[in-house]
Amino acid sequence: QLYTEKEDRFFFKWINDVLKELEKRIDAGCAALSHMETNIVNLACDDPGALIGGNLLLPRHQRTIDLGAEDHMQRKAKEAEDEILRLEVEAELKRSQDREKKQKKRNKQKEEKRLQR
């Protein structure tokens, strides 16, 4: 065994303490980022009462959404096209099988007539 039970407990407690400290730093960073965004909006705006935060972030998000929607629509269109092609192939195969059945039936009827004479 590399470590004693006491050392294992110490490492466990130390890791938990470091994890808690990192979570505090992340929370503080998120709060600071929010304040920085507000400051940027205030500095960029001539009219302090005007809302421009949405104008800074929304176009980027909208572009991401639009690209995702376009990809989705292209994928759906391709799936629909593939389905139509598959159905057309199935329909042609069925018509071909029906023609073959009819031809076999006609040949059989002709053969029966020939045998009856």
Side-chain angles (χ1 to χ4, degrees):
Q1 195 176 24
L2 290 173
Y3 301 106
T4 64
E5 188 174 323
K6 184 178 179 181
E7 290 172 325
D8 284 343
R9 286 185 187 156
F10 170 77
F11 286 132
F12 180 76
K13 184 180 181 311
W14 177 73
I15 290 170
N16 280 332
D17 290 343
V18 169
L19 182 61
K20 287 177 185 176
E21 182 62 31
L22 287 173
E23 288 175 351
K24 287 179 186 177
R25 286 183 180 182
I26 290 171
D27 290 342
C30 289
L33 185 62
S34 177
H35 288 292
M36 288 174 64
E37 181 184 12
T38 303
N39 287 336
I40 289 171
V41 169
N42 287 336
L43 290 173
C45 184
D46 291 337
D47 179 11
L51 297 175
I52 64 167
N55 295 333
L56 294 175
L57 293 177
L58 286 181
R60 180 172 162 231
H61 292 303
Q62 188 63 47
R63 185 174 59 245
T64 303
I65 291 169
D66 290 344
L67 290 174
E70 184 179 340
D71 290 343
H72 177 73
M73 293 304 292
Q74 287 177 353
R75 189 172 56 250
K76 292 299 257 182
K78 176 72 172 134
E79 289 173 3
E81 183 181 349
D82 291 345
E83 181 68 14
I84 289 170
L85 292 174
R86 185 187 65 78
L87 291 173
E88 287 176 353
V89 168
E90 284 180 4
E92 182 60 35
L93 183 62
K94 186 174 180 179
R95 283 193 296 269
S96 174
Q97 290 172 348
D98 289 344
R99 281 191 296 256
E100 288 177 18
K101 285 180 185 178
K102 287 179 184 179
Q103 186 63 35
K104 286 180 183 179
K105 187 176 179 180
R106 286 184 201 134
N107 290 343
K108 187 176 180 182
Q109 288 173 348
K110 287 180 183 180
E111 188 65 31
E112 287 175 358
K113 285 183 181 181
R114 207 178 287 158
L115 292 175
Q116 287 177 356
R117 292 184 187 173

